[in-house]
Amino acid sequence: MEKYDVIVIGSGPAGNSAAYALKEKGKTVAIIESDLWGGTCPNRGCDPKKMLMSGVEAQKRVETMIGKGFEQTPKLVWEDLMAFKKSYTDSVPQNTKDGLDAAEIDRYQGQASFIDANHIIVDDQRLEADQFLIATGQRPAVLSIEGQDLLQSSTDFLALEHLPKTIVFIGAGYIAFELAVIANAAGSEVHIIHHNDRPLKEFDQELVTDLVEHMKSAGIDFHFNVDTKAVELLHPNYRITGDNFELVADMVIGATGRIPNVEGLELAKAGVDYDKKGIKVDDHLRTSQQNIFACGDVLAKSQPKLTPVAGFEAGYVVNAMNGDNEAIEYPLIPTIVFGDQRLARIGLSERELAAHPEKYHSKTTDLSSWYTYHRINDQGAKIKFVYDEENKIVAVTCLSQLADEVINYLLIALTKKMTHEEVEKYIFAYPSPASDLSYFI
């Protein structure tokens, strides 16, 4: 039986990063992966999705300039775009394994199951460790309806050899929005079905409404207040039904959230508490079992389950596992819905703002006439600031082609509590989102 100082379960961005850092601290380290080496993000998540989105961004950038130097919108060739995506994703598992081998971190392939707090078994191989780090991430949830086995997921979409003529997304979170934009730009007829009339509930409703209208203008159909009841195979397509609702499509994707990968770990045998939201940890990312830690998307937490957050937690947990007693403190975390029009936000959650409306006031600014946006014909550009009773900025939401850049600049300015006078001491390249900062702060 092999014994290690630390065994990491999960080779995604969080687990992989932690394994390297633990090895650098002189620990004997092993890492276990039950699926693709490298985890969800680089294989079948954010990275390949953004590879596909790059084609959309290029296409839509030209489209906004029709009549202003261009005559027609370029056509996206799905097969070529997928080949571009695969030029990155195909090498991820092997590159991950090669890196771990070079660092002399032992690898095990298979499902890890705890025997007790110090022992696990992987495909009949028993391993022992003083400490464990669980970083097994999440997977798409499956909507509990009649015909649920006919639903496909974001994983299936990102592996499509050919794009279906008609695609339906059930759910209206950021995954559905992003994949819908990609499919629409590549030529599919796209529908989004949602059980209420509040999509992207974690984002500001005013700017979400603007984004929905923008997507509608591109040809994406939204069906709100539809409670999907069943999916039926018609050979070769599918029928989706609800109360007074019916739609036929070539592909139906369930995009109703994600669930933590805890099944198979036998956490109860190790004395680790968890619920349907994930593994419970304290402010040191320690589970209910003192020698077992967890980080990343598998956690039951209020912070957004995003790759950068998982990486931040991985950096923290390595020190916590080495005796650092400082509790984790999360900084401001930006969240973004990517597309040709990006929706980005930072600050107090929409739930918190809605719970105490008397404490906050807001201002929305149309940015389309500002030179930074006018020069790229970004006609839908807007930004919304929410202020507290002392007129301090507590939340920002931006909708534009440049929203991701804008929100990152504001992230730094707000974190550093920069005043207008401090911002004006900098000379930024012009025109750029940064050059507009002094008008915001």
Side-chain angles (χ1 to χ4, degrees), residues 117 134 267-275 279-282 285-294 299:
I134 304 170
L267 294 175
K269 292 182 179 179
V272 174
D273 292 339
Y274 66 97
D275 59 22
I279 295 175
K280 300 178 181 180
V281 293
D282 62 15
L285 302 186
R286 190 190 303 270
T287 71
S288 52
Q289 184 59 254
Q290 290 299 295
N291 68 312
I292 301 176
F293 294 75
L299 297 185

Side-chain angles (χ1 to χ4, degrees), residues 18-27 29:
Y20 279 105
L22 289 162
K23 183 69 176 180
E24 289 174 0
K25 289 185 177 292
K27 304 285 187 179
V29 182

Side-chain angles (χ1 to χ4, degrees), residues 182-339:
I182 293 170
N184 170 258
S188 281
E189 177 186 324
V190 179
H191 298 262
I192 294 178
I193 301 172
H194 194 48
H195 64 93
N196 60 33
D197 60 359
R198 182 68 173 93
L200 297 175
K201 63 182 180 180
E202 302 300 326
F203 289 80
D204 176 78
Q205 187 169 2
E206 178 186 355
L207 295 193
V208 167
T209 299
D210 287 346
L211 177 58
V212 168
E213 290 304 315
H214 171 76
M215 292 170 67
K216 285 181 178 179
S217 70
I220 296 172
D221 292 309
F222 286 84
H223 308 275
F224 292 129
N225 296 309
V226 173
D227 192 8
T228 304
K229 299 294 186 181
V231 178
E232 176 188 358
L233 179 61
L234 298 181
H235 298 291
N237 47 23
Y238 305 89
R239 177 163 51 217
I240 305 99
T241 55
D243 292 333
N244 301 313
F245 178 84
E246 182 176 314
L247 190 62
V248 175
D250 300 304
M251 184 178 195
V252 186
I253 295 176
T256 51
R258 299 176 68 80
I259 56 176
N261 290 319
V262 294
E263 294 83 0
L265 289 173
E266 299 288 355
L267 294 175
K269 292 182 179 179
V272 174
D273 292 339
Y274 66 97
D275 59 22
K276 64 180 182 180
K277 294 182 179 180
I279 295 175
K280 300 178 181 180
V281 293
D282 62 15
D283 58 6
H284 288 72
L285 302 186
R286 190 190 303 270
T287 71
S288 52
Q289 184 59 254
Q290 290 299 295
N291 68 312
I292 301 176
F293 294 75
C295 68
D297 290 356
V298 75
L299 297 185
K301 60 183 179 180
S302 59
Q303 290 77 20
K305 296 190 175 185
L306 303 169
T307 297
V309 180
F312 178 84
E313 290 167 349
Y316 168 83
V317 79
V318 168
N319 292 326
M321 295 174 77
N322 278 274
D324 190 335
N325 290 320
E326 186 175 345
I328 189 169
E329 289 189 17
Y330 290 91
L332 283 172
I333 301 172
T335 52
I336 303 172
V337 180
F338 284 88

Side-chain angles (χ1 to χ4, degrees), residues 108-186:
Y108 295 88
Q109 180 82 48
Q111 174 63 53
S113 298
F114 281 97
I115 299 170
D116 56 40
N118 289 101
H119 300 86
I120 60 168
I121 189 166
V122 185
D123 287 348
D124 298 326
Q125 193 163 6
R126 188 182 173 107
L127 305 175
E128 181 181 354
D130 295 327
Q131 292 180 311
F132 289 88
L133 174 62
I134 304 170
T136 49
Q138 297 182 109
R139 67 183 186 280
V142 179
L143 186 63
S144 181
I145 58 173
E146 184 181 341
Q148 65 184 51
D149 56 314
L150 300 174
L151 294 173
Q152 293 183 277
S153 69
S154 57
T155 299
D156 300 305
F157 179 90
L158 293 172
L160 284 172
E161 294 288 337
H162 306 287
L163 196 65
K165 185 177 180 180
T166 306
I167 300 180
V168 170
F169 295 91
I170 302 175
Y174 76 94
I175 292 176
F177 269 60
E178 291 177 351
L179 298 187
V181 167
I182 293 170
N184 170 258

